[in-house]
Amino acid sequence: MNDPEFTAGGTARPPAVPTASVDEPAAAEDESDAGQPALRRATVLLLAVVCGAAVANIYYAQPLLPVIAKAFGVSQGASGLVVTVSQVGYALALALVVPLGDVRERRRLASVLLGLSAVALLGAAVSPSLGALLAAIAVVGATSAVAQIVVPLAASLAPGHQRGSVVGTVMAGLLIGIMLARTVAGLLAQVGDWHLAFVFAAVLMAALAIVLRLVLRPVPPSENTTYPELLRSVVALVRTEALLRRRMALAAVGMGCFTILWTASSFLLAEEPYGFGPAVIGLFGLVGVAGAAAAVAAGRLADRGRGRQVTTGGLMALTVSWPVLAIAGVDHMGGLIALTAGIVALNLAQQALLISHQSVLYRRAPHARSRVTTALMVSAFAGSTVASALTAALYPRVGWLGICGLGLVIALVGVGIWILELTHTSPAEPLTAPAAAVDTGSSDGRQADAGRVGARRAEAGRVGCAAVGER
């Protein structure tokens, strides 16, 4: 059907004639790409480091859960709440803070969030009780959402032919940050105590806030609108874009499986017959770094129009990883080999899936990348939050094998969603860019923008719930 389409700002546009499938590169995706130079490698690497270091903050605690439980005299389930509250804070910030990347100067916004994260991490380091630690970690999770401001920022700076590769590199930095967080936290806890990991993270955040402010040039907003309208436009995109909704569901599946693995594996490795300390448990994070290669490769394949194959392969690997991981709970002789293989497969799958989601959605809504990121990552971390809570609650009752069964069921749900997308393909050609996204800086431009805002408000009541047709 041919219902009206919405622009990134929520404004209805005349229906577009489909010109590209999900997997075809869109050469004319964004008019702003014309003549845009390739992004310098040093800039890409800086953004990757900032992204990885920021998101690492919500993963430092994972290998420390047994130590934290012992330090505060609480159960494993109670200590698992540290992971849960960090994910809740992260998800809330994704919904309420990340959209500001489309309407605020991004360098300043990122620097402020990094500084606030440093303060919250110091608060976590000196927490006298589990309650105080949970409060501090919730703020850490919220400020760590700066990572998801950096990703669409990198996508906007890169020309269309380089975008998948740039996003893949930045996401590789994100994954490396997550995995190294486990290793660094484990080693620091072994030589000192669990407080030292949060002190280290606080110093790193403060340093990056300064470097980012000094090195990166100011990045102007891509649209001029009010905060309430900004949030409403996110809802409009979710309501009208079948492609976005399905990718959001797949992101929840992938991140849920990822969180189940890393939360439960800490408990598995701390118990008999393994009985590892936090340093050794943290070293398993290095195995997951292999997923960084998948992020870069998936980005390049997306640039070549092979996003559908990336998604299919990622879901297959995600599903197969759980039976392999289950071996670690029944065959202790080969358990470490099976655990290592399963970690590699699941991390490869998760990163390939996430890059495929971002590539197709950034192409679909080039002028609303922060808002698309908000929708995608809120869904992902909602799935992660539910998964971490389920894992903490169920692990003492069902053990490792039961948790692997839970992961397999969630992966199969993802396969079903993808079959639906393959049989009922959603539109993927770029949405018409809202005129307000072009900021000329002239008085005429500001007057025209005011008129467009009024027009959007008047038309919102008439077409606010229009759906994008599926082909």
Side-chain angles (χ1 to χ4, degrees), residues 134-462:
L134 292 176
I137 289 297
V139 178
V140 170
T143 54
S144 296
V146 65
Q148 299 304 333
I149 292 174
V150 171
V151 176
L153 167 61
S156 296
L157 291 173
H161 69 274
Q162 189 193 21
R163 184 164 296 123
S165 177
V166 168
V167 171
T169 301
V170 173
M171 290 301 297
L174 184 147
L175 176 64
I176 291 172
I178 293 173
M179 298 296 102
L180 290 184
R182 296 173 56 85
T183 303
V184 170
L187 291 174
L188 291 176
Q190 193 75 26
V191 301
D193 60 20
W194 64 270
H195 304 82
L196 190 57
F198 293 111
V199 172
F200 166 82
V203 173
L204 182 58
M205 289 299 98
L208 285 176
I210 295 171
V211 171
L212 193 68
R213 190 61 181 265
L214 293 177
V215 173
L216 195 66
R217 62 176 175 82
V219 184
S222 61
E223 188 163 339
N224 182 13
T225 188
T226 65
Y227 184 66
E229 287 179 337
L230 187 73
L231 296 183
R232 282 196 294 268
S233 70
V234 177
V235 177
L237 281 167
V238 174
R239 294 177 68 178
T240 61
E241 291 293 324
L243 177 65
L244 176 56
R245 291 194 300 272
R246 290 171 184 173
R247 293 291 178 155
M248 287 170 63
L250 288 174
V253 165
M255 188 61 74
C257 288
F258 183 86
T259 302
I260 289 171
L261 168 63
W262 289 111
T263 301
S265 63
S266 296
F267 295 133
L268 173 72
L269 295 173
E271 297 172 346
E272 294 299 331
Y274 300 110
F276 296 143
V280 177
I281 293 174
L283 287 174
F284 276 83
L286 295 177
V287 178
V289 173
V296 176
R300 290 173 178 167
L301 287 172
D303 284 338
R304 297 170 186 168
R306 298 189 178 274
R308 179 173 295 182
Q309 291 90 329
V310 171
T311 305
T312 301
L315 285 168
M316 291 176 61
L318 189 71
T319 303
V320 171
S321 67
W322 287 111
V324 175
L325 288 165
I327 298 174
V330 296
D331 180 9
H332 300 142
M333 293 297 294
L336 292 180
I337 296 175
L339 183 63
T340 300
I343 288 173
V344 170
L346 192 145
N347 280 271
L348 286 170
Q350 161 62 1
Q351 290 306 302
L353 287 170
L354 192 53
I355 294 302
S356 72
H357 305 332
Q358 290 171 319
S359 294
V360 70
L361 291 174
Y362 288 166
R363 184 164 68 243
R364 175 66 171 160
H367 292 281
R369 291 187 178 117
S370 287
R371 282 162 286 173
V372 165
T373 299
T374 289
L376 184 69
M377 300 310 296
V378 163
S379 180
F381 279 88
S384 178
T385 300
V386 172
S388 65
L390 285 174
T391 303
L394 293 178
Y395 188 87
R397 296 176 176 83
V398 302
W400 177 254
L401 289 181
I403 293 299
C404 288
L406 173 65
L408 178 60
V409 169
I410 293 174
L412 290 174
V413 170
V415 172
I417 295 168
W418 184 236
I419 291 174
L420 178 63
E421 174 61 31
L422 292 176
T423 56
H424 299 81
T425 305
S426 305
E429 69 280 357
L431 289 167
T432 304
V438 180
D439 183 8
T440 63
S442 66
S443 59
D444 291 341
R446 288 190 292 271
Q447 291 171 358
D449 179 71
R452 283 187 292 267
V453 170
R456 282 202 301 270
R457 288 173 175 166
E459 192 158 352
R462 182 172 64 86

Side-chain angles (χ1 to χ4, degrees), residues 11-23:
T11 307
R13 300 287 180 186
V17 177
T19 57
S21 71
V22 171
D23 296 320

